[in-house]
Amino acid sequence: DGGITQSPKYLFRKEGQNVTLSCEQNLNHDAMYWYRQDPGQGLRLIYYSQIVNDFQKGDIAEGYSVSREKKESFPLTVTSAQKNPTAFYLCASSPSSSGLNEQYFGPGTRLTVT
Amino acid sequence: DAKTTQPTSMDCAEGRAANLPCNHSTISGNEYVYWYRQIHSQGPQYIIHGLKNNETNEMASLIITEDRKSSTLILPHATLRDTAVYYCIVRVAYRGGGADGLTFGKGTHLIIQP
């Protein structure tokens, strides 16, 4: 099956620990994205990548880091510098970087930090 | 991207057409109207998009007013599985730097009543 996978679905961490969320796609898409969603709110863009080895900050990049070493993978690290890391994290991909194509979303990872 | 305004919530009876309005009075000539929906605790799903002509696909129809300042998403025969938050997004098709992310508001919570 083609699609976007995120794992795990639920993740629990202690405050002060870094944690990496995985995102893999086998759709051969060039562009990939990370969003954060808080309860009752819309999605906010954290980072995005148009091609391998390149990525840009989104609206709320502080406290997060990413890498794009392979086309199919775009992991997100939530660092201890992120003040409110508990949230629902969504990864998406898009066929090209033209901006016209729709985005395909993964099932999300719900991170809880205590 | 232009700002959009949507009602917070709407009800619709199962089997009837659900009409979801969106106001985007500041839309510019090169901006498309996109609709996504998000079923509880899942990733958003693309529905449809359009520029100025009405569009229809297997999921829905999109009606854009002649002045493009508003649009309506129509689900012709709503089912219980259509209960979700529906997001109307206005987006430039291409920017010089390539595709950045989508800007999600709070959307409309559509509840299909049995």
Side-chain angles (χ1 to χ4, degrees):
Chain A
D1 277 339
I4 301 175
T5 57
Q6 293 184 245
S7 60
K9 190 170 178 65
Y10 298 95
L11 192 54
F12 298 89
R13 281 292 183 271
K14 296 288 188 186
E15 193 174 328
Q17 293 179 335
N18 290 355
V19 58
T20 298
L21 282 59
S22 75
C23 177
E24 303 280 331
Q25 55 99 358
N26 60 4
L27 300 168
N28 200 33
H29 287 175
D30 285 325
M32 296 187 75
Y33 310 82
W34 272 106
Y35 295 87
R36 168 189 173 130
Q37 187 173 34
D38 293 288
Q41 305 296 315
L43 282 67
R44 292 184 291 167
L45 182 67
I46 304 173
Y47 267 99
Y48 63 101
S49 168
Q50 298 165 13
I51 56 172
V52 175
N53 293 321
D54 183 61
F55 49 83
Q56 285 80 41
K57 293 181 179 180
D59 300 321
I60 54 165
E62 186 176 349
Y64 299 98
S65 66
V66 293
S67 63
R68 187 85 187 277
E69 297 176 1
K70 299 185 295 183
K71 187 175 185 177
E72 58 270 25
S73 179
F74 191 41
L76 173 75
T77 297
V78 184
T79 75
S80 56
Q82 168 50 234
K83 297 199 182 332
N84 296 295
T86 294
F88 188 41
Y89 290 88
L90 289 152
C91 178
S93 70
S94 184
S96 75
S97 60
S98 74
L100 184 58
N101 300 110
E102 61 266 29
Q103 293 186 13
Y104 297 78
F105 285 82
T109 292
R110 195 167 297 277
L111 174 65
T112 301
V113 176
T114 57
Chain B
D1 294 330
K3 180 179 169 58
T4 61
T5 304
Q6 299 177 253
T8 302
S9 65
M10 294 181 62
D11 287 352
C12 179
E14 189 178 16
R16 304 296 293 267
N19 296 276
L20 291 89
C22 179
N23 183 287
H24 32 78
S25 58
T26 61
I27 193 170
S28 59
N30 63 346
E31 289 184 312
Y32 283 69
V33 180
Y34 281 80
W35 284 84
Y36 283 75
R37 74 179 182 183
Q38 185 177 24
I39 295 169
H40 183 62
S41 294
Q42 297 182 21
Q45 176 190 24
Y46 165 80
I47 301 173
I48 199 168
H49 75 278
L51 182 62
K52 54 183 179 181
N53 297 320
N54 297 338
E55 302 288 343
T56 295
N57 63 20
E58 64 278 4
M59 288 183 68
S61 295
L62 173 60
I63 309 298
I64 302 174
T65 58
E66 193 168 341
D67 63 7
R68 301 208 325 122
K69 293 185 177 182
S70 65
S71 61
T72 301
L73 178 74
I74 301 172
L75 308 178
H77 305 287
T79 70
L80 298 178
R81 289 178 295 179
D82 292 322
T83 292
V85 177
Y86 287 77
Y87 298 98
C88 170
I89 298 166
V90 170
R91 175 174 170 80
V92 174
Y94 176 77
R95 295 184 182 180
D100 57 8
L102 299 169
T103 300
F104 286 79
K106 294 186 179 181
T108 296
H109 188 194
L110 175 67
I111 300 170
I112 306 302
Q113 305 281 2

